[in-house]
Amino acid sequence: MKVSYFSWLRTKTGVASEDVAPPEGCRTVADLVAHLAGRHPALAEIADAPGGMRFTVNRRYVEPHHELSAGDEVSLFPPVTGG
């Protein structure tokens, strides 16, 4: 599964994208984010914040409860701020 990080999430993780083999039982986007937070401790603080990230799976915006399939492309986006 390919995971891409956008904007300042790249800085937090230190990578723009990576190939990930999620552990067994990792079925949803929320499960995947929890797994990734274990790999990238700086991501954990954002992952736990309500509305902390947006997600796409195969280029479609999804909610954290979205079910994943092998071969999906997942992208994580930080919250948008305005001003």
Side-chain angles (χ1 to χ4, degrees), residues 40-61:
H40 303 287
L43 190 62
E45 62 193 51
I46 302 155
D48 291 336
M53 283 189 275
R54 297 283 318 260
F55 319 99
T56 64
V57 175
N58 302 324
R59 300 184 182 186
R60 291 181 180 251
Y61 282 101

Side-chain angles (χ1 to χ4, degrees), residues 29-73:
V29 171
D31 294 339
L32 177 63
V33 170
H35 171 69
L36 296 171
R39 294 171 55 128
H40 303 287
L43 190 62
E45 62 193 51
I46 302 155
D48 291 336
M53 283 189 275
R54 297 283 318 260
F55 319 99
T56 64
V57 175
N58 302 324
R59 300 184 182 186
R60 291 181 180 251
Y61 282 101
V62 298
E63 296 297 321
H65 61 270
H66 180 84
E67 295 273 333
L68 296 171
S69 298
D72 280 344
E73 291 185 24

Side-chain angles (χ1 to χ4, degrees), residues 1-5 13 15-24 26-29 31-40 43 68-76:
M1 177 174 300
K2 182 177 179 177
V3 178
S4 299
Y5 305 94
T13 61
V15 295
S17 66
E18 61 184 329
D19 289 320
V20 176
E24 190 170 327
C26 185
R27 294 189 174 106
T28 67
V29 171
D31 294 339
L32 177 63
V33 170
H35 171 69
L36 296 171
R39 294 171 55 128
H40 303 287
L43 190 62
L68 296 171
S69 298
D72 280 344
E73 291 185 24
V74 180
S75 298
L76 295 109

